[in-house]
Amino acid sequence: MSTLKSDIVIIGGGIVGTAIARELAKYQLRVVLLEKEPELAAGTTKANSAILHAGFDAKPGTLKARLNVRGNALYHALREELSLAIQWIGSLVVATDKDELQTLAELLNRGNQNQVPGLALLSREEVLTKEPGLVNAEGALWAPSTGIFLPFDAALAFAENAAQNGVQILTECPVTNMEITNGRITGVRTPQGSITASYVINAAGLYADAVARLAGDSSFTLTPRKGEYILFDKNAGPRVNHVLFPTPTKHSKGILVAPTVHGNTFIGPNAQNMPEEENLTIAVKENLATTAAGFQEVITGAKRLFPAIPLNASITEFSGLRAVADSDDFVIRPSTVVNGLIHAAGIQSPGLTAAPAIAELVAELLKECGLLLLPKKKFISHNEPKIVFRELSNEQKQTLIRKNPLYGRVICRCETVTEAEIVAAIHSPCGAKTVDGVKRRTRAGMGRCQGGFCGPKVAAILARELQVPLTAIRKETAQSYLFYDKIPVDAGGNQSETIR
C-alpha cells in the first residue's frame, strides 16, 4: 500500500472501533479501520467481565449512563442480526450488612433516573430463592436486563459485518503520525503507507491519548486500571445463575462472581490504577502481569459474597486493563485542537455495553461536523451463523462429516473443536492469524488443559492454511513468535548454518 484514499479512518479494532465501523458501513462512505496488532480486539476487549450492564451504576447525566442504557437496548436487536451469543440472565447487587442496604436504595434511585427497566429490591428470602449460595446476603438489587456475552465474538461480528458492507480492515497497521493541513486532518501515516481521510475516529483504547497527541491534542489523559480474574472449570460446582455484584465503590463495581455463556464461573476483577513510573520493564499500558496479592484480593472479595467458590477447580488466571480518563467519563467529542478528529476514548466499564450506542453518537457527531451521511441502498444487516460442532445433534454431526471429513477430526478435546471449524475461522472475513485468534473464534485452547493438548496442532494448521513456515506462527501480538529455527552445531559445539 502506498497511498490509500478514504473518507474516514477509524483507529482501533476493539469493540468500540468495530462497532463504529459497522455503523458507518450503513452509509455511502469509504471507511478504513486500522488495528496495530495482528488480531482485532486484542486489548481491553479480550480481557474483561463480559457483562452487558443494566445501567444502574453510572452517575445520571453522564455519557456512561446514557450510552449504557441505550447500548443494552441495542444489543437485543444485534443478537439476532449478528448471531451473538447473549444470555439475558439478570444480576443481583448483594448487600451483606445493613449499611449496604442503604446503598442499594441509592442504586435503585440512580437506576430509575437512568431509566433502567425492571429494577427491584429483594429481601434476603427472595435473594436465596434465586441464589441459594448467597448465605451472607441481607438483600439485593435485582436487574433483569443484565446479560452475559462474548466481547471478542461481538467485536468480530461487528468487523465481519462492516467488511461485508465495504469497510476495509487493516491489521498490523499502527498509526505513526497524522497529516494536518491548515488545522484540519487530511490523513494518517502508517508503516504500510499513507491514508487520506477527511475525518479520523480515535478509538485506540489505552493508546487513545497518545494518538490524540499525534495531532497536537493533549486535552485528556488515560490511566490504565488493571483488573485480575480467576476462571474455573465448567464442571466445577456450585454454580451461580446470575451475575453477582457486591455493593460498588467509587473506583469499581467490586469483586463479582458470574457465569460465562459457555458454563464456566469466574471471579474478579480487582481495580489497581497503574502509575506512570520510570524504568518499568513492561510498559504500563502493556502490563498484564498477575500477582499473588491481586489474586488474594480477588479471592477474599469473592468469598465474602459467595463463600462456596470452587478454588480447587481454577483453570486459568488473567488480567485486563481499562482506560480511565481524567474526567472519569467517556471522552466522545470532536477535538478542540484540530478539525476532523473525533475522540471515542476513556471507554472503561460499561464500554462493552455502550459500544453500539457510542457508534450511533459518533455518527451524529460526524453529521454535526458537516459530513453528509447518505444511506446505502443495500446494507447487509445480518451475519450468517457459524457452525458450532459441539452444539449439534449426532445426526447433524454425521451429515457434516460426510460433506467435509475435517469435521471428523477433533483438535481440541476439552471443547470439542474440529479441524473444519479452525480452518473456517482462518479463512473467514477478518480471519484468524494467530493461535489466540483461533482460540477466541473457536474455543480451541479455552478448556481445562488451556491448549496443552491442541496448541501445537492449531499452530500446524495455521501454518498450513496461511502457507507460512511454522516459525512464522505467533501466539497473539506482533512479536509473540512461538517457534524458532533449528541451529545445528558441529562436533566442537560450534553453530553452523541455520536450518529452516
Side-chain angles (χ1 to χ4, degrees):
M1 181 181 76
S2 52
T3 299
L4 180 65
K5 294 182 179 180
S6 75
D7 299 308
I8 299 173
V9 167
I10 302 166
I11 303 174
I15 196 165
V16 173
T18 55
I20 293 169
R22 197 252 182 179
E23 182 68 22
L24 296 181
K26 298 175 182 178
Y27 304 101
Q28 297 176 37
L29 297 167
R30 296 171 299 175
V31 180
V32 177
L33 183 145
L34 305 179
E35 167 56 45
K36 68 182 181 67
E37 298 295 346
E39 298 284 357
L40 297 173
T44 299
T45 304
K46 75 175 182 183
N48 51 74
S49 302
I51 294 170
L52 294 174
H53 291 284
F56 53 78
D57 187 56
K59 182 180 177 181
T62 61
L63 283 174
K64 284 183 181 180
R66 174 161 64 93
L67 299 177
N68 183 345
V69 176
R70 173 61 179 164
N72 184 290
L74 288 171
Y75 273 110
H76 286 78
L78 290 168
R79 178 187 183 186
E80 303 303 322
E81 292 179 358
L82 302 182
S83 300
L84 300 180
I86 298 175
Q87 298 175 15
W88 300 105
I89 61 173
S91 66
L92 293 165
V93 184
V94 182
T96 57
D97 59 45
K98 301 297 183 183
D99 291 337
E100 291 181 348
L101 290 174
Q102 178 58 41
T103 303
L104 297 188
E106 295 170 1
L107 285 176
L108 174 62
N109 179 59
R110 185 182 298 178
N112 288 335
Q113 290 183 64
N114 292 341
Q115 300 183 337
V116 178
L119 296 177
L121 291 175
L122 304 184
S123 66
R124 172 178 168 81
E125 291 71 25
E126 291 171 317
V127 171
L128 292 174
T129 298
K130 289 183 176 293
E131 291 286 355
L134 292 176
V135 295
N136 296 328
E138 293 291 337
L141 175 65
W142 167 242
S145 61
T146 299
I148 56 176
F149 78 140
L150 301 171
F152 179 88
D153 184 54
L156 188 63
F158 285 134
E160 289 181 344
N161 189 259
Q164 286 187 80
N165 286 286
V167 173
Q168 188 166 355
I169 297 174
L170 302 176
T171 56
E172 297 192 74
C173 194
V175 171
T176 57
N177 214 336
M178 300 277 192
E179 295 181 352
I180 301 171
T181 303
N182 297 324
R184 181 169 188 85
I185 289 281
T186 58
V188 300
R189 296 177 192 169
T190 80
Q192 297 186 30
S194 296
I195 306 173
T196 64
S198 300
Y199 294 90
V200 171
I201 312 299
N202 175 16
L206 289 161
Y207 296 89
D209 54 349
V211 167
R213 282 160 177 71
L214 292 177
D217 185 342
S218 56
S219 60
F220 64 92
T221 299
L222 301 178
T223 299
R225 182 176 292 163
K226 182 191 289 187
E228 296 168 273
Y229 296 86
I230 302 175
L231 181 72
F232 301 102
D233 187 84
K234 62 174 62 176
N235 295 322
R239 299 186 181 185
V240 296
N241 305 311
H242 310 88
V243 177
L244 308 181
F245 294 104
T247 52
T249 68
K250 179 180 179 181
H251 298 293
S252 173
K253 293 179 176 67
I255 309 299
L256 59 92
V257 181
T260 72
V261 295
H262 292 113
N264 302 84
T265 300
F266 74 90
I267 59 176
N270 54 357
Q272 178 187 358
N273 283 341
M274 304 296 290
E276 289 286 355
E277 297 179 8
E278 295 181 3
N279 303 320
L280 282 177
T281 55
I282 302 176
V284 170
K285 293 189 178 184
E286 298 177 5
N287 184 355
L288 293 170
T290 55
T291 64
F295 287 141
Q296 188 57 56
E297 180 185 357
V298 168
I299 291 168
T300 299
K303 293 186 76 170
R304 179 174 176 267
L305 184 64
F306 190 82
I309 296 294
L311 293 176
N312 62 337
S314 167
I315 59 172
T316 192
E317 301 82 30
F318 63 95
S319 70
L321 295 170
R322 296 95 94 183
V324 182
D326 39 16
S327 64
D328 203 35
D329 196 6
F330 297 157
V331 180
I332 306 172
R333 56 170 173 75
S335 170
T336 56
V337 175
V338 59
N339 292 323
L341 176 62
I342 294 178
H343 301 303
I347 313 298
Q348 57 172 311
S349 181
L352 295 172
T353 315
I358 292 171
E360 286 185 336
L361 177 55
V362 167
E364 288 298 320
L365 291 173
L366 286 167
K367 278 186 189 178
E368 292 174 9
C369 290
L371 181 64
L372 184 62
L373 297 183
L374 296 175
K376 287 179 178 173
K377 293 181 179 180
K378 293 183 179 180
F379 171 71
I380 303 169
S381 61
H382 287 66
N383 287 354
E384 288 294 323
K386 292 180 171 59
I387 294 173
V388 183
F389 186 80
R390 63 181 173 274
E391 296 178 357
L392 301 178
S393 67
N394 287 336
E395 183 179 350
Q396 290 171 319
K397 290 175 181 177
Q398 290 299 323
T399 299
L400 276 179
I401 292 169
R402 283 193 290 269
K403 291 180 178 178
N404 182 353
L406 292 184
Y407 279 109
R409 291 194 63 198
V410 174
I411 301 301
C412 173
R413 293 190 286 188
C414 295
E415 296 294 323
T416 317
V417 180
T418 66
E419 184 170 353
E421 291 169 279
I422 294 171
V423 171
I426 295 169
H427 293 294
S428 65
C430 312
K433 299 178 180 178
T434 66
V435 171
D436 280 3
V438 169
K439 177 175 73 173
R440 296 194 183 101
R441 287 168 174 82
T442 67
R443 287 191 62 77
M446 281 193 173
R448 184 176 298 172
C449 82
Q450 290 291 289
F453 174 78
C454 67
K457 294 185 177 182
V458 169
I461 294 169
L462 275 164
R464 182 191 74 204
E465 297 299 317
L466 296 177
Q467 299 183 9
V468 298
L470 191 60
T471 50
I473 298 304
R474 294 168 289 186
K475 183 179 187 296
E476 178 187 35
T477 57
Q479 298 300 317
S480 60
Y481 293 99
L482 291 169
F483 305 97
Y484 295 90
D485 294 323
K486 293 180 180 179
I487 302 178
V489 296
D490 59 22
N494 300 310
Q495 292 182 357
S496 58
E497 184 180 354
T498 299
I499 298 177
R500 286 282 179 183

